[in-house]
Amino acid sequence: MTDNSHRTASRRAVMAAGAALAAAAAAPRALAQTPAPPATAPAGLAAGGGSSKIFRTTEIATGKVQGIANGPVWEFKGIPYGAPTSGRNRFMPPKPAAAWSGVRECFGFGECCPQTQADIRGEYGQLIQWDRHDIAGMGEDCLNLNVWTPTTDRGARKPVFVVFHGGGFATGSGNGIGFDGKNLAYYADAVVVTVTHRLAAYGYLDLVGAGAPSEFRYAGVTGMMDLVAALQWVRQNVESFGGDPGKVMIFGQSGGGAKTSTVLAMPGAKGLFHRAAVQSGSALRLVTPEAGAGTAEKLLKTLGIGRANWGELQRISWQRLLEAQTATGGNFSPVIGTDALPNHPFDPKAPEVSADVPVIISTTLEDAALSLTNFDLTEAGLEAILEQRAPGHGKELLGLYRRYDPGATPFLIQAQALTDAGGRRAAYIQAARKAALGAAPAYVYQWNWRTPAYDGKFGAVHGIDVSASLHSYRDAFFAGSTPGKRMADRLASTWAAFVRTGDPNNGHIPPWTPYSDQRRAVMVFDNETRQEIGPRGEIRAFWEAYPPPPGPRG
């Protein structure tokens, strides 16, 4: 069954509002007025949603690109924003994509960066379909992006979303099924861009710190420089897809949130975006040059490369590099200390370079459930885990959690505690430091709505709000259900309002005020979506008395 006619009616409601787009939050409110769909799907669904043309060609700086209609949305996939990163370009800053003659067919995704595959034995990986990133294969010609847009009219001036995929700094791509942008493009009447870039050792290997020549000085941060190059591409070309280069919102979840946190601190990205959202990925600190050098030295030792044969770094196959990376292990993440990324993103304070950019920062209630598998945990086992984490206070802490959530399984209480001790603490710190700049506001939300998928055992797990922000309620998290669609409407409408005005308020949610450390306003997305001041304050105070855990999610 399709809901295209459902959304067509929604689009008419927006258009009927006349000048509603000029009034900042009117579009999201109009989208709330969605009548029931007709009994039959719209005619022409298989032929571009009734359009007289299936294909659309538009021209960008490097040549003409041809996309294809998917209902009311035009899709352009696999557009190169940079040159291949193999050979002499490996470990180097991104170079511009070469121009082409004729029309480039952009119907399929481009390569993703070489990476290890998601283990099919992991239920969480199966839930989020993390094995679906190498749809077009992998390799070093991975600087490509995908565009979904309602129009290619250069004068349309639609707001623009740029999505940074998750997967830490090591896996994933803009091609993943969980980052499909067409539903958000339609629902929010906006342009959506997803980006693929270099990861792990291909993008974050501090070679100079390990003794390599100065020409490799950016090797520890090239993956982030790729994202800046993608934003430069958006500024130069998005008008060809009906977009407004002066109204760009970057966002990402998990690793994508960490990338968003990082881009907020990059001088080269200043002015290329105007709003940001960090979902369960609040990166306060990154890798120091000392730590980055140590990781690089270990990898070089595995490869047998040193001062006598530096040239081999750019001659070995990408397969050999991936094998060595996997065998060596280590933290292949952005390294600070160059002019591309001078400092830690949010430590000791929020970055001044993006002080004028409003930001949404979030976590989910049970973020940490992604890495847990002890679904049969008992209440006694839970108390033992809490006692181990907070010696002498296990029983007290369990009682505290049970007062807030008496019906949750021990597994989910465990996930809440690990999230509260780690990732949620980082999110609150990030928001407080952003607010302390006294410039653009920070807004904080916590996603509490639990997915019924896998018999509900994962709860409000890490990543559930990605689908909602992209208005993709057909996936396993929401299963096309009425409650799931309602939640997707709420968050996608929030995105639609925020990208236009920098204010997330819209007709789908209660009033939402900015965050400060004095008045800790948090929007709680649940069946009863509401703003709370200092939610679960006793739990937060408890964990603030303990040293932060070593990992980002506890």
Side-chain angles (χ1 to χ4, degrees):
M1 173 160 181
T2 180
D3 59 352
N4 281 350
S5 54
H6 184 166
R7 293 178 182 175
T8 300
S10 175
R11 178 64 60 83
R12 292 195 190 102
V14 176
M15 295 176 67
L21 218 58
R29 283 195 291 270
L31 287 164
Q33 302 164 7
T34 315
T40 59
L45 179 64
S51 170
S52 60
K53 292 184 66 176
I54 298 174
F55 304 105
R56 179 67 58 86
T57 298
T58 189
E59 188 164 7
I60 60 176
T62 45
K64 294 180 179 179
V65 292
Q66 187 178 65
I68 191 167
N70 189 332
V73 173
W74 297 98
E75 299 183 344
F76 297 81
K77 297 176 180 177
I79 304 174
Y81 67 87
T85 63
S86 56
R88 294 291 299 169
N89 289 345
R90 185 183 285 165
F91 305 125
M92 295 294 163
K95 293 181 171 58
W100 55 84
S101 59
V103 177
R104 187 184 188 105
E105 295 177 353
C106 296
F107 309 141
F109 295 117
E111 290 182 345
C112 69
C113 183
Q115 58 192 270
T116 55
Q117 298 287 287
D119 191 328
I120 60 171
R121 295 170 295 181
E123 287 186 311
Y124 177 75
Q126 294 285 297
L127 170 63
I128 64 172
Q129 301 184 73
W130 205 247
D131 56 325
R132 299 291 305 278
H133 284 277
D134 61 344
I135 299 169
M138 61 177 69
E140 292 181 275
D141 190 5
C142 59
L143 304 191
N144 55 76
L145 49 78
N146 312 302
V147 180
W148 291 266
T149 180
T151 180
T152 55
D153 177 5
R154 290 184 64 88
R157 312 295 288 182
K158 305 289 186 186
V160 181
F161 296 102
V162 179
V163 186
F164 299 150
H165 68 79
F169 291 100
T171 67
S173 76
N175 306 337
I177 192 169
F179 303 109
D180 191 304
K182 60 178 170 286
N183 291 309
L184 180 61
Y186 181 33
Y187 187 80
D189 194 27
V191 181
V192 179
V193 180
T194 64
V195 184
T196 296
H197 62 107
R198 282 175 284 184
L199 303 167
Y202 303 87
Y204 311 110
L205 191 65
D206 188 20
L207 292 168
V208 168
S214 61
E215 65 187 278
F216 293 105
R217 63 188 176 279
Y218 293 112
V221 74
T222 53
M224 293 307 307
M225 296 176 77
D226 293 344
L227 296 183
V228 174
L231 290 172
Q232 291 168 339
W233 184 96
V234 168
R235 181 179 61 180
Q236 184 178 23
N237 296 293
V238 80
E239 285 180 287
S240 296
F241 302 92
D244 183 352
K247 198 166 287 184
V248 176
M249 174 178 167
I250 62 173
F251 75 93
Q253 184 270 345
S254 191
K259 293 165 193 173
T260 302
S261 299
T262 304
V263 169
L264 283 162
M266 297 183 74
K270 184 174 177 59
L272 299 178
F273 62 97
H274 315 91
R275 338 264 186 241
V278 176
Q279 298 172 289
S280 299
S282 296
L284 307 181
R285 296 175 60 84
L286 293 169
V287 178
T288 64
E290 296 76 18
T295 299
E297 286 169 358
K298 292 176 183 176
L299 180 64
L300 291 171
K301 184 177 180 181
T302 301
L303 288 168
I305 293 176
R307 298 180 187 279
N309 60 341
W310 287 123
E312 287 298 300
L313 281 170
Q314 296 176 320
R315 288 194 289 266
I316 62 173
S317 69
W318 65 257
Q319 291 93 335
R320 185 179 169 197
L321 182 56
L322 183 59
E323 289 276 10
Q325 170 194 303
T326 306
T328 304
N331 181 13
F332 295 98
S333 298
V335 180
I336 66 168
T338 63
D339 57 348
L341 182 60
N343 306 303
H344 292 296
F346 279 82
D347 191 68
K349 62 179 183 177
E352 295 280 357
V353 70
S354 58
D356 60 338
V357 176
V359 179
I360 293 174
I361 298 167
S362 72
T363 60
T364 71
L365 181 62
E366 285 122 5
D367 257 323
L370 89 159
S371 57
L372 303 172
T373 58
N374 56 341
F375 298 106
D376 58 353
L377 183 67
T378 64
E379 196 80 353
L382 171 61
E383 184 177 332
I385 289 172
L386 296 176
E387 178 66 26
Q388 182 182 32
R389 202 57 183 271
H393 298 280
K395 186 178 291 293
E396 168 197 352
L397 189 54
L398 178 56
L400 185 57
Y401 274 97
R402 282 301 180 200
R403 286 207 300 276
Y404 282 100
D405 203 342
T409 65
F411 173 86
L412 291 179
I413 295 295
Q414 170 194 214
Q416 290 178 28
L418 295 178
T419 305
D420 289 326
R424 189 140 36 243
R425 185 191 301 199
Y428 284 142
I429 292 172
Q430 184 179 43
R433 289 176 178 174
K434 173 66 177 176
L437 291 179
Y443 295 88
V444 174
Y445 80 76
Q446 180 174 299
W447 183 278
N448 283 17
W449 190 86
R450 288 170 169 148
T451 176
Y454 285 75
D455 298 323
K457 66 184 181 181
F458 281 105
V461 68
H462 193 70
I464 186 173
D465 50 342
V466 177
S467 302
S469 62
L470 291 165
H471 205 247
S472 182
Y473 56 87
R474 68 179 182 177
D475 69 5
F477 282 125
F478 301 100
S481 67
T482 297
K485 182 183 181 302
R486 185 182 306 118
M487 296 306 299
D489 286 350
R490 289 171 180 171
L491 192 56
S493 293
T494 297
W495 257 223
F498 194 64
V499 71
R500 287 175 166 82
T501 68
D503 184 336
N505 283 283
N506 67 90
H508 277 271
I509 61 173
W512 189 358
T513 56
Y515 185 91
S516 70
D517 215 21
Q518 293 72 43
R519 187 176 185 273
R520 297 170 169 180
V522 177
M523 185 62 66
V524 178
F525 281 86
D526 205 344
N527 285 321
E528 181 191 345
T529 295
R530 60 203 180 273
Q531 177 174 276
E532 295 186 11
I533 304 301
R536 294 156 52 99
E538 293 171 282
I539 290 175
R540 177 173 175 175
F542 182 93
W543 288 116
E544 285 178 343
Y546 282 80
R553 287 182 289 274

